[in-house]
Amino acid sequence: MRPLSCCRSYQLLPSGKREIWTLPERHYSSLSEETEIRQLTQKLADAKDVMDGIKSVAGTRLPVLTPNLKGFHAAIDAGAKEVAVFASASESFSKSNINCTIEESLCRYKEILNAAKRLSVPVRGYVSCVVGCPVEGPISPSSIAYVAKELYDMGCYEISLGDTIGVGTPGTVVPMLDAVMSVVPVEKLAVHFHDTYGQSLANIFVSLQMGISIIDSSISGLGGCPYAKGATGNVATEDVVYLLHGLGVKTNVDLGKLLSAADFICKHLGRQSGSKAGIALSRGIRDHSKM
């Protein structure tokens, strides 16, 4: 099993800047912010203020989600040094999420990639609904492979495969990864599992066995999707780190600092943590991952 280079936490944060600074310094290589989402999504009018407040976080990459060229330029103007584009393997979800077809979205992203290349700005690609869609149901592995390859071929340095509604199991994730890995190098792939049905850790485990070494996660399982009714947030970072430590994988993540950050943000938002490992460890239950 190949060690992970890092364990990444992607989350949408309020405009208050303390939330950024509370995250463990130097233990995460990447955070994610949003810009220029279409009218059906609440716009982050203070995105520039947020970017201004986190520019000086040493050793941290801050990719900004950009659905179109206008959003790309807004992100760059706000100080973004890296951006991300997000396509869907489902036509229905693409239309509800970014108001265009899959092919239209790919055309938009080619414009972004071309502009990014001119400015030497790295671009990360996301593919949503890689197992199932809230409207269309199961999505064929070949459809996911097609979108992933398109994003990779146009210049995305890495492709994150997202189970947006959290319906995946190892039985559906393995054939999906097989299809994508046949057209995109495994070292260029990441997995992004929402934990709606409690299957994320099992899916991460089989992904590791297949050679994936990059995992997207969200502190305390925060997040979700407004266009995927009932979908919960991304897999909790605390649970992923606990699993990886138990497997002997070096993450460079200080679990104690991670728990402190999780406690802060959950209190700030007035919600309970979505991490089972986090809840257990915060209650003083022994850390058995290193036994």
Side-chain angles (χ1 to χ4, degrees):
M1 184 182 298
R2 198 172 78 185
L4 271 73
S5 57
C6 64
C7 184
R8 299 179 175 179
S9 178
Y10 289 87
Q11 55 183 311
L12 301 181
L13 298 171
S15 58
K17 298 167 187 174
R18 292 183 302 159
E19 289 84 342
I20 296 287
W21 288 102
T22 307
L23 291 170
E25 294 181 6
R26 297 189 184 89
H27 293 300
Y28 294 90
S29 70
S30 183
L31 297 170
S32 179
E33 288 296 334
E34 271 193 346
T35 185
E36 197 56 39
I37 301 301
R38 65 191 182 89
Q39 291 183 351
L40 291 180
T41 302
Q42 182 178 359
K43 293 183 178 180
L44 297 178
D46 52 1
K48 189 176 188 305
D49 292 337
V50 175
M51 293 299 295
D52 286 342
I54 58 179
K55 280 180 181 176
S56 60
V57 179
T60 302
R61 290 173 28 241
L62 302 165
V64 178
L65 297 177
T66 53
N68 50 44
L69 195 57
K70 182 180 179 181
F72 171 78
H73 289 303
I76 298 303
D77 290 343
K81 303 300 181 184
E82 179 178 335
V83 300
V85 296
F86 46 104
S88 176
S90 158
E91 286 288 358
S92 299
F93 193 79
S94 181
K95 292 175 182 177
S96 65
N97 193 35
I98 53 177
N99 201 29
C100 65
T101 67
I102 293 173
E103 291 302 322
E104 288 170 342
S105 72
L106 295 175
C107 288
R108 292 180 183 179
Y109 299 149
K110 286 179 182 178
E111 294 180 341
I112 292 176
L113 265 293
N114 289 335
K117 288 175 184 176
R118 289 193 291 270
L119 298 174
S120 298
V121 174
V123 182
R124 193 182 200 235
Y126 290 81
V127 183
S128 59
C129 297
V130 299
V131 177
C133 166
V135 178
E136 298 179 17
I139 302 296
S140 69
S142 60
S143 298
I144 291 96
Y146 169 74
V147 176
K149 185 177 188 300
E150 287 290 306
L151 292 176
Y152 179 69
D153 287 348
M154 70 176 67
C156 291
Y157 73 86
E158 186 173 279
I159 308 299
S160 176
L161 304 169
D163 180 11
T164 310
I165 57 176
V167 295
T169 67
T172 52
V173 167
V174 169
M176 180 273 293
L177 289 178
D178 276 334
V180 177
M181 288 165 56
S182 69
V183 294
V184 178
V186 65
E187 64 271 15
K188 300 297 184 180
L189 296 175
V191 289
H192 182 116
F193 295 112
H194 286 242
D195 205 32
T196 311
Y197 291 86
Q199 300 298 299
S200 290
L201 292 183
N203 293 333
I204 288 170
F205 185 69
V206 296
S207 299
L208 291 168
Q209 290 181 315
M210 296 180 71
I212 301 293
S213 61
I214 303 167
I215 301 167
D216 293 353
S217 62
S218 172
I219 194 164
S220 298
L222 299 178
C225 178
Y227 304 108
K229 186 177 180 180
T232 60
N234 198 358
V235 61
T237 305
E238 303 94 306
D239 293 346
V240 176
V241 172
Y242 188 85
L243 168 68
L244 296 177
H245 287 179
L247 294 172
V249 177
K250 184 178 180 180
T251 64
N252 295 324
V253 176
D254 185 318
L255 190 53
K257 290 183 178 180
L258 178 62
L259 292 174
S260 295
D263 180 66
F264 169 81
I265 191 61
C266 287
K267 287 181 179 177
H268 182 78
L269 296 176
R271 58 163 288 177
Q272 184 176 359
S273 171
S275 166
K276 290 186 177 180
I279 291 173
L281 292 171
S282 67
R283 291 173 177 170
I285 300 176
R286 182 178 177 183
D287 181 353
H288 293 282
S289 66
K290 298 178 182 179
M291 291 183 66

